[in-house]
Amino acid sequence: MDFLSLFAIYVVCVLTCIFLVCKCSRYEQTPVGRLYSCWSELGSRWVPEWMQRFSQKALHRIFHQRNSLFVILHLLLEGAVYGEFSYEVFGFCIEMDTGVPSLVVPYLLLAMKTYFFYQCCHRDPGTVTEENHVALVAVYQYDRVLFQPGVSCPTCLFVKPARSKHCRVCNRCVHRFDHHCIWVNNCVGARNARHFLLYLLCVCAMAGDIMVLTADMLFHAVLHSNLLHAYYIDQQGQQQPVGFLFIIQHLFLTFPRIVFMLGFLVVVFLLVAGYALFHLYLALVNQTSNEWYRRKGRGCQHCNGSPSQGHWHPPQHTQSHRFYSRGILRNLREVFQPLTHSEKKDR
Ligand SMILES: *[C@@H]1O[C@H](CO)[C@@H](O)[C@H](O)[C@H]1NC(C)=O
Ligand SMILES: [Zn+2]
Ligand SMILES: [Zn+2]
């Protein structure tokens, strides 16, 4: 295959991955999300109606009902990356005298990630039930901005504790609800938020580590082949030193799978790292994604929707801007030791 068609396939695959991740992580406000809605609007004119109904049904099943499609997809992608790493990169690294300890790190990270991932998927995120809802109502105070006291969930038929939300996908109320994550096919709530955060950090570390090892391997391959000092003869019959683009092209054609994997990892790393930082930030300021979205959506009633204006705010109102934070350490502790009984509240 020639360079251009290989490169085209590569770009299409990477764009598909970005698109899937954006669509799935509810980044509907991003340019990609807007592109998607434009695209589906255009589609609605040209695509026959039965096909639209079918795709709507399929989308509903995929995104609004519990299913392990993304869990499987995720395991497949991970299997592909680790297979490629073990099959090709590992051997090269051994030849290059990369120390065995640094080659073991990706597998250690994989083991850790698998544990947290399992916990995210199978742990109860903090379902509010008939038995525990009275205890949970006492855990957090109602802020009367986002959470009003005495509101019942129309489906579960009990009073909603503050910071809880009814998950429409799982059809249950979840304590300290964060979001429903289709990648783990479970809600993220009080009891698995810490696993979710550690899981994200592990994925970042995994992608980052394999990325560095692979880039190192490619770099050595280039050095080894003496490509940096090579020349080629141009159309005028003159010697020209090979440039950066030439080296990329050479790598693409010599190690297509490895370069492909590297590109995929860069994309995954950037997306997951951004998302992990967002969740870390939320944990540090004592907020859930649910509250963050809702706060962002309502803006500030006193400043006409723009929360950053520097005028006087009523005290209660200012407090809602500072997210009830009681210091970084206490906030983190609350994620790692979720409150489930009110007596623990004033520890
Ligand atoms: C976090 O915020 C909630 C209100 O949303 C508050 O009740 C709780 O005490 C806060 N926790 C910490 C550790 O600041
Ligand atoms: Zn409910
Ligand atoms: Zn859910």
Side-chain angles (χ1 to χ4, degrees), residues 286-306:
N286 185 19
Q287 262 207 319
T288 63
S289 320
N290 178 37
E291 288 156 1
W292 189 82
Y293 280 117
R294 287 178 61 185
R295 283 221 165 87
K296 205 180 73 163
R298 63 190 288 137
C300 165
Q301 304 132 323
H302 297 264
C303 1
N304 250 339
S306 78

Side-chain angles (χ1 to χ4, degrees), residues 277-330:
L277 284 180
F278 173 61
H279 268 272
L280 198 60
Y281 162 77
L282 289 180
L284 292 178
V285 299
N286 185 19
Q287 262 207 319
T288 63
S289 320
N290 178 37
E291 288 156 1
W292 189 82
Y293 280 117
R294 287 178 61 185
R295 283 221 165 87
K296 205 180 73 163
R298 63 190 288 137
C300 165
Q301 304 132 323
H302 297 264
C303 1
N304 250 339
S306 78
S308 52
Q309 281 173 25
H311 61 77
W312 182 82
H313 294 95
Q316 187 220 349
H317 178 68
T318 322
Q319 209 190 4
S320 84
H321 276 191
R322 284 200 275 113
F323 323 129
Y324 305 98
S325 168
R326 286 202 276 135
I328 286 177
L329 284 183
R330 282 200 186 173

